[in-house]
Amino acid sequence: MKAYIMALACLFAMPVLAQKKYMINSFMIADKVIAMPAITDIDGIPTPPNDLKQVTVKSTKNNHLLQSQTGLEKFLLKDTKQLPTMLGERDILKTIQLLPGVKSAGDGNSGFYVRGGGADQNLVLLDDAPVYNPAHFLGFFSTFNADAIKEVSLYKGAMPAQYGGRLSSVLDVSMNEGDKEQWKVSGGAGLIATRLSVEGPLQKEKSSFLISGRRTYADMYLKLSHDSDIRKNRMNFYDLNGKFSWSLGKKDKLSISGYTGHDVLNLSGLFGLNWGNKVGAVHWNHTFNDRVSVNTAATYSNYDYTAAVTQANYNVSMYSSMKDVSGKTEVIYAANANYKMHIGTSATYHHMVPGNAQNAQKGSVNNVQQPTRNSLENALYVQNEWQASDKLLLSYGTRVTAFSVLGTGDFYRVDGNGVVTDTLRYSPGQRVATYINLEPRVSASFQLTQTAAVKASYTRNVQNLHLIANTTSASPTDRWVASTNIIKPEIADQFSVGYYKNLADNQYQVTVETYYKNMQNQIDYRNGADVFDNQALESKLLYGKGRAYGIETLIKKRKGKLTGWVAYTLSKTERKIDGINNNQWYNARQDRTHELAIVAAYQLSNRFSVAANWVFYTGNAVTFPAGKYIINNQVVYYYTNRNSYRMPDYHRLDVNATVSLFKKKKFSSDLSVGIYNAYGRENAFSVFFRQSKTQPGQTEAVQVALFKFVPSLSYDFKF
Amino acid sequence: MQKLLVCLVSIVICTFPVSCERVVDVTLNSSMPRYVIEGVITNNGVCRVLLSTSNNFDEDNNFDAISGATVSITEDQGGAILLTERKPGNYQSAYLKGKTGHTYHLLVNIKGQQFTASSVMPPQAVKIDSVFFSTEILGGTNRRIANACYTDPPVKGNCYRFVQYINEHKESTVFVDNDKFNNGHTVAYPLYFRNNDDDARRNIISGDTVRIEMHCIDSTLYKYWYSLSSLTAAVWAAPATPSNPVTNITGGALGYFSAHTVRSIRVVVH
């Protein structure tokens, strides 16, 4: 707690205290006034009282009553340590899927859906740099090595104006900073991966570093196979995080952080898939005085994907990539304890290669160079936070974005049937279109009593990068595209109201939030679009609108031997796109009526703890046949309405036990054992239809489940 | 490009050897019976239109033929040729022979409902020059695959469909290709199929006689066959939202009308 107050005190930028380190010998909490005899500095010399201004320090830790934001979930990674894992890999993307309003995209998929939005409508940031595909192993694991992550904030709407570019949510992940005082080594091994982190001072109390790596050895299991072809397969991934931080004098802080990760899947040396992210960020924080400070950052993000076939008579690869270079600066002005303002600007250059087929040797394939796409995204924002009274906290601001689509490249005009009518050729840097959007937002929280509050918010978000995907799982045909002269920016307006209550001396938190979201310029494929025939993607797309609404409840127990939460969401999300389902509203794929997550951890003793989570949700909206007919002497299925059926309900129990093997100041180690999907429910990954083998002339539905039980084991150490 | 999709699917299948399949009960809505039209005119004398109706999912696979319809085909600006019903729902003409480069118009009248379609027979009847067999790893098992070698004409926009027969047993997989990635080249097109019902007749072994038909089709038919083939793709590559194939028939019927060339090659597997 003390450290927390210290940290907060620094954050609140006290002029004198920022100059020197102080020991706070006592403090006041809430309404208990404790006289503070004197504050001494770190050397024990009492501070003259007039050097000290009155500082109001608000602990926001776990006190969601004091935030104006609706739909914000914040947690420290160390608080998720006991939760069950998949094969021993702690995963923040899996943890947030247990929160209300956040839906998992399903087994074998790291995507998530927030309040009815699509998987591409989440902005995932690692130290402010966007991560375009935070998935390993076709989605079984996320790219966030838990050892390198400090804190995660998830905004399910009502994000402050500092954030922009996606409709549904912002997942702001911050990396750990190295310890400035002493060296530390931690690490561990799970069933499929091993991890190691090293941190320490570069110059004591002034600068530090942290390097954290993870590598799978899933290939080893393949080597155990009797089949020589399987033994030749390769599948692995690695993550490497690094962060360097410096305190430059009394007023400046500088940090450089980076991440690189890569997946390789290779089948007998004949087929290969590999993809990876590289992100980097430089942050500089300068404090002018007790009221004004400036944060400046430069970030870089690169995601690329290659699918390749290498055979004697056929050798082709398909490559796509997404590159961002971005700079931003922000001035924070704290007029007094009740008013704070952020003013900032940012510029991002996007460079996309949408999918190039390349022929590595003389063969039968022409190189198909898709036009690269370049765009410039500029933003200006103002965000204010104003404690209007003891009870009323207001947060309001706006963001103005200007998205310019630039040449080189061909752009098209398309008629109503998706036929290209004109091709417009642009030279390098030539402006194709500019979309300027105003994105206002306002949130208010009103404290009803010491333990209860209501909040309301309205936010408009705009998205100019779109992921066009047509398969149930990640595939090379999923492509990021920027807005063009035809593809318009997606726009969402979200209204949200919530009630928040703390019970039993803040041991329990209860949250009820409702939301309504209206979406414009939503994109979907035309029926039967050939996704590989990618000359003019615009000719394969349809546009329309969407709406999503729901109610989210969360009951959280934060203290005691038993901790955890129950999250229940009742929601609806629909689309209406001209050319689909006779232009009627239809369920979005991720529309799931009910979603329930129960998460519990129990500390049996100092050494033993157990944890479990149980999830239940209504199956996705899917399209099943309504009939069948004969074509080409084959039975073909006949479809009527899109997404008018349901997959079977999904439910799963995961359990985990952690034992502390060794706990000394210098060295500690833990062992975790668990089972994912403990009662072996065969949850449907997909349902397909075929002619029955046992009853000729009949047709049957077949459900495919990916796995039943998945054991997990992990050993972690720290010294 | 099909190779890339196959590669993706294979990788995924091999990556998750633990997936489990079982037959489940799914209650499906019933649908109004729909008319199905399958019209073909080729350069080697086939001129045939099949008319049937769709069934509900839980019914058997006996599809009612539609008798008594009026079916005619018109070549470019010529006069309409009436087709005769030879068998129930099977309408043919012995006089009409398709010619490359010509456009054909189909008119079907079923109980007063009109359906129309047009199709262009491509100007060149491209043929398969040779066939070789390769062993491929598909879904974790080794299987022999026929590769059809042909030379794509220099003009852009050619579309093809292949039909494979093993000892005259027709392979159900839809094979389509176009020259998007290999215009003007000599192409070896691999005829990948998933033997998802473990039917031994579908596998290629030494001594088998393999016959492959190559059809040159127009781009609207490519769209039809491509969208039909994606419906039967593997679970992993299946479209998230399946829909009926993109038909060239107006008036609300299922199916297609195709004017195409046919060239065959027959080889014995060694």
Side-chain angles (χ1 to χ4, degrees):
Chain A
M1 184 72 189
K2 191 155 77 173
Y4 207 83
I5 294 261
M6 280 290 281
L8 271 159
C10 295
L11 271 183
F12 274 76
M14 296 177 287
V16 185
L17 298 188
Q19 315 275 326
K20 231 174 177 183
K21 275 205 171 180
Y22 288 85
M23 299 278 276
I24 295 182
N25 299 331
S26 54
F27 42 82
M28 301 183 285
I29 295 180
D31 50 353
K32 292 199 178 80
V33 180
I34 301 164
M36 296 168 76
I39 289 189
T40 61
D41 70 14
I42 205 91
D43 308 318
I45 299 161
T47 310
N50 55 359
D51 267 12
L52 285 171
K53 295 202 166 88
Q54 185 189 337
V55 175
T56 311
V57 175
K58 292 174 185 161
S59 162
T60 54
K61 191 187 184 192
N62 298 327
N63 194 348
H64 59 174
L65 299 181
L66 294 170
Q67 300 162 343
S68 60
Q69 249 83 36
T70 55
L72 169 62
E73 304 283 354
K74 231 183 165 92
F75 55 90
L76 296 164
L77 255 274
K78 60 180 174 53
D79 298 342
T80 65
K81 223 178 148 153
Q82 300 160 315
L83 296 182
T85 61
M86 174 92 175
L87 295 165
E89 292 304 301
R90 272 197 301 150
D91 192 339
I92 55 164
L93 288 192
K94 295 279 187 284
T95 306
I96 63 165
Q97 289 166 12
L98 299 169
L99 298 168
V102 185
K103 291 173 163 47
S104 139
D107 286 337
N109 198 328
S110 69
F112 59 100
Y113 308 118
V114 178
R115 290 188 172 176
D120 65 329
Q121 295 178 350
N122 308 310
L123 179 63
V124 179
L125 296 172
L126 181 63
D127 275 357
D128 282 339
V131 181
Y132 279 96
N133 182 7
H136 284 306
F137 260 177
L138 305 163
F140 277 92
F141 307 99
S142 81
T143 52
F144 300 113
N145 172 2
D147 292 358
I149 304 302
K150 178 174 144 202
E151 192 182 32
V152 178
S153 302
L154 175 72
Y155 296 88
K156 298 184 286 187
M159 51 286 282
Q162 291 90 312
Y163 297 111
R166 298 289 187 283
L167 293 197
S168 288
S169 78
V170 174
L171 182 71
D172 191 350
V173 179
S174 58
M175 255 192 250
N176 266 325
E177 282 203 2
D179 195 303
K180 287 192 168 84
E181 305 289 335
Q182 54 183 333
W183 281 74
K184 286 180 182 168
V185 178
S186 65
L191 276 181
I192 66 151
T194 178
R195 305 176 303 276
L196 185 70
S197 301
V198 181
E199 59 182 299
L202 291 163
Q203 200 183 357
K204 223 167 184 174
E205 291 176 21
K206 287 208 168 90
S207 56
S208 69
F209 79 96
L210 166 90
I211 303 246
S212 190
R214 168 168 73 161
R215 165 78 162 81
T216 58
Y217 32 74
D219 307 41
M220 282 184 8
Y221 296 106
L222 298 177
K223 299 273 182 282
L224 303 174
S225 171
H226 297 298
D227 185 333
S228 65
D229 288 318
I230 290 182
R231 285 203 300 272
K232 275 190 251 171
N233 296 346
R234 285 178 59 206
M235 42 184 211
N236 59 62
F237 66 80
Y238 73 85
D239 293 311
L240 189 63
N241 294 70
K243 190 160 184 172
F244 298 83
S245 320
W246 294 267
S247 299
L248 306 167
K250 296 185 170 71
K251 296 194 169 185
D252 292 279
K253 276 189 70 180
L254 181 71
S255 73
I256 298 176
S257 51
Y259 161 80
T260 177
H262 201 76
D263 274 71
V264 174
L265 277 176
N266 193 301
L267 197 61
S268 311
L270 300 173
F271 309 124
L273 283 180
N274 56 63
W275 68 94
N277 295 279
K278 292 182 185 67
V279 305
V282 180
H283 286 266
W284 171 41
N285 168 272
H286 178 79
T287 307
F288 280 99
N289 55 40
D290 58 328
R291 293 187 175 178
V292 181
S293 61
V294 178
N295 289 327
T296 306
T299 62
Y300 169 85
S301 174
N302 179 71
Y303 164 63
D304 58 40
Y305 190 118
T306 307
V309 180
T310 43
Q311 288 179 0
N313 64 318
Y314 192 92
N315 193 322
V316 64
S317 66
M318 194 160 178
Y319 170 84
S320 64
S321 77
M322 176 89 192
K323 203 174 281 175
D324 278 9
V325 180
S326 180
K328 65 179 198 183
T329 188
E330 170 181 272
V331 179
I332 302 166
Y333 169 66
N336 53 45
N338 294 328
Y339 179 79
K340 196 172 176 187
M341 178 156 88
H342 294 248
I343 301 178
T345 179
S346 71
T348 306
Y349 183 73
H350 303 286
H351 176 78
M352 295 177 176
V353 180
N356 282 347
Q358 290 193 326
N359 196 1
Q361 62 182 52
K362 68 175 175 48
S364 61
V365 176
N366 285 353
N367 290 355
V368 175
Q369 290 288 346
Q370 293 303 317
T372 57
R373 291 280 190 237
N374 300 317
S375 48
L376 188 61
E377 191 165 13
N378 295 314
L380 187 65
Y381 62 84
V382 181
Q383 178 78 25
N384 302 282
E385 196 159 283
W386 178 37
Q387 183 79 49
S389 74
D390 287 352
K391 294 191 162 52
L392 180 65
L393 177 62
L394 289 170
S395 169
Y396 50 95
T398 190
R399 185 178 173 89
V400 185
T401 50
F403 189 90
S404 298
V405 187
L406 305 171
T408 314
D410 288 352
F411 291 80
Y412 308 96
R413 289 203 184 101
V414 172
D415 70 9
N417 298 321
V419 176
V420 175
T421 55
D422 291 300
T423 300
L424 317 164
R425 189 148 287 182
Y426 288 86
S427 52
Q430 199 180 350
R431 191 177 298 251
V432 180
T434 295
Y435 296 104
I436 296 177
N437 279 291
L438 193 65
E439 305 173 36
R441 58 206 65 202
V442 57
S443 329
S445 89
F446 187 78
Q447 190 122 12
L448 299 166
T449 65
Q450 279 290 349
T451 59
V454 286
K455 299 179 193 181
S457 70
Y458 160 73
T459 316
R460 166 167 279 208
N461 281 311
V462 172
Q463 178 161 347
N464 276 295
L465 302 175
H466 324 275
L467 184 69
I468 312 291
N470 189 38
T471 49
T472 40
S473 47
S475 97
T477 59
D478 297 356
R479 306 215 320 263
W480 280 99
V481 297
S483 297
T484 65
N485 54 326
I486 296 176
I487 301 173
K488 299 283 186 270
E490 300 174 55
I491 298 174
D493 292 292
Q494 184 179 155
F495 302 86
S496 178
V497 178
Y499 174 78
Y500 310 78
K501 173 89 182 153
N502 290 359
L503 298 164
D505 199 16
N506 291 351
Q507 198 172 160
Y508 293 92
Q509 282 182 352
V510 179
T511 305
V512 181
E513 279 191 14
T514 63
Y515 64 91
Y516 181 87
K517 186 158 51 172
N518 189 39
M519 292 170 272
Q520 302 170 45
N521 303 332
Q522 298 298 285
I523 304 169
D524 211 334
Y525 267 118
R526 281 176 187 274
N527 286 343
D530 175 354
V531 292
F532 270 129
D533 170 16
N534 49 12
Q535 288 308 126
L537 185 70
E538 289 91 337
S539 66
K540 302 174 183 39
L541 302 177
L542 295 167
Y543 313 94
K545 55 188 181 180
R547 63 186 179 198
Y549 45 93
I551 183 161
E552 300 166 358
T553 51
L554 177 69
I555 301 169
K556 205 169 188 174
K557 184 172 185 297
R558 295 177 34 227
K559 296 175 189 167
K561 283 188 167 178
L562 177 71
T563 54
W565 67 84
V566 178
Y568 170 71
T569 308
L570 175 68
S571 64
K572 185 90 203 138
T573 175
E574 296 162 294
R575 298 274 181 277
K576 185 175 187 294
I577 290 180
D578 284 351
I580 295 174
N581 265 19
N582 306 322
N583 311 342
Q584 302 294 312
W585 283 102
Y586 65 94
N587 295 333
R589 189 179 162 71
Q590 64 270 21
D591 174 57
R592 295 180 193 149
T593 315
H594 305 283
E595 182 114 10
L596 176 68
I598 301 172
V599 180
Y602 189 76
Q603 194 74 36
L604 289 160
S605 70
N606 278 343
R607 292 189 57 203
F608 288 97
S609 69
V610 286
N613 56 254
W614 185 73
V615 291
F616 170 91
Y617 55 78
T618 310
N620 281 345
V622 286
T623 309
F624 286 159
K628 54 188 176 178
Y629 58 101
I630 190 115
I631 279 284
N632 192 24
N633 276 333
Q634 300 293 324
V635 173
V636 177
Y637 305 118
Y638 162 59
Y639 298 92
T640 48
N641 287 342
R642 190 176 282 209
N643 295 350
S644 56
Y645 289 94
R646 290 268 164 212
M647 289 291 272
D649 290 341
Y650 182 105
H651 50 89
R652 191 190 78 230
L653 174 74
D654 308 331
V655 293
N656 195 55
T658 306
V659 54
S660 167
L661 300 174
F662 201 84
K663 210 166 183 172
K664 284 275 169 13
K665 201 173 174 184
K666 283 271 163 67
F667 182 87
S668 66
S669 64
D670 294 332
L671 183 70
S672 286
V673 184
I675 301 178
Y676 181 91
N677 196 11
Y679 53 79
R681 157 102 176 159
E682 287 185 27
N683 282 304
F685 171 76
S686 72
V687 171
F688 69 94
F689 299 87
R690 70 180 178 203
Q691 298 310 300
S692 172
K693 293 177 188 176
T694 49
Q695 299 167 287
Q698 290 294 324
T699 313
E700 62 189 16
V702 182
Q703 170 191 294
V704 179
L706 287 185
F707 41 71
K708 288 170 92 166
F709 313 91
V710 183
S712 82
L713 180 70
S714 99
Y715 170 80
D716 294 271
F717 66 87
K718 228 193 203 126
F719 60 84
Chain B
M1 276 309 98
Q2 196 204 11
K3 201 128 187 174
L4 274 178
L5 260 189
V6 169
C7 118
L8 175 86
V9 171
S10 310
I11 276 193
V12 172
I13 289 170
C14 295
T15 314
F16 306 112
V18 283
S19 63
C20 4
E21 281 187 8
R22 64 190 171 94
V23 175
V24 288
D25 265 340
V26 176
T27 311
L28 296 173
N29 305 334
S30 56
S31 55
M32 287 292 294
R34 293 276 305 266
Y35 293 139
V36 182
I37 300 174
E38 190 170 9
V40 169
I41 178 161
T42 71
N43 63 336
N44 58 0
V46 176
C47 175
R48 184 185 59 229
V49 176
L50 305 176
L51 302 182
S52 62
T53 51
S54 69
N55 279 357
N56 277 335
F57 193 85
D58 53 2
E59 295 176 282
D60 64 16
N61 291 343
N62 294 315
F63 301 94
D64 290 343
I66 301 169
S67 288
T70 313
V71 181
S72 67
I73 291 179
T74 312
E75 182 178 308
D76 288 335
Q77 302 308 317
I81 304 240
L82 214 56
L83 277 64
T84 321
E85 188 169 10
R86 293 283 163 84
K87 286 182 251 173
N90 184 327
Y91 300 77
Q92 295 184 16
S93 164
Y95 310 106
L96 191 57
K97 287 208 169 36
K99 297 187 202 74
T100 54
H102 286 246
T103 305
Y104 294 87
H105 307 278
L106 171 74
L107 176 64
V108 175
N109 185 313
I110 304 172
K111 294 173 190 160
Q113 272 195 70
Q114 294 262 36
F115 303 96
T116 58
S118 300
S119 176
V120 181
M121 190 176 294
Q124 273 180 293
V126 181
K127 70 176 197 331
I128 298 170
D129 303 321
S130 63
V131 174
F132 69 89
F133 295 91
S134 57
T135 303
E136 306 276 351
I137 301 157
L138 296 167
T141 54
N142 288 357
R143 217 139 17 85
R144 292 186 87 174
I145 297 293
N147 294 262
C149 302
Y150 66 92
T151 305
D152 181 77
V155 61
K156 274 189 180 173
N158 296 299
C159 304
Y160 309 105
R161 176 173 165 235
F162 299 91
V163 185
Q164 175 178 286
Y165 298 85
I166 297 167
N167 304 326
E168 289 309 311
H169 178 262
K170 185 178 168 186
E171 168 54 41
S172 56
T173 305
V174 174
F175 303 106
V176 283
D177 193 17
N178 64 14
D179 63 2
K180 190 68 79 181
F181 290 96
N182 44 32
N183 183 48
H185 277 282
T186 302
V187 181
Y189 177 81
L191 282 80
Y192 285 117
F193 62 94
R194 286 183 306 127
N195 193 343
N196 47 1
D197 53 2
D198 297 326
D199 182 348
R201 289 177 302 173
R202 296 173 69 182
N203 291 335
I204 299 175
I205 53 171
S206 295
D208 283 348
T209 302
V210 175
R211 183 168 67 87
I212 301 170
E213 281 179 7
M214 182 169 189
H215 302 177
C216 296
I217 57 178
D218 75 10
S219 59
T220 55
L221 268 298
Y222 176 84
K223 208 172 238 183
Y224 178 84
W225 291 113
Y226 179 88
S227 48
L228 181 66
S229 71
S230 73
L231 290 181
T232 54
V235 167
W236 288 88
T241 43
S243 56
N244 300 317
V246 187
T247 179
N248 61 344
I249 297 173
T250 55
L254 299 164
Y256 66 92
F257 171 58
S258 174
H260 59 256
T261 65
V262 179
R263 304 281 294 267
S264 277
I265 189 167
R266 189 188 302 267
V267 288
V268 176
V269 185
H270 295 297

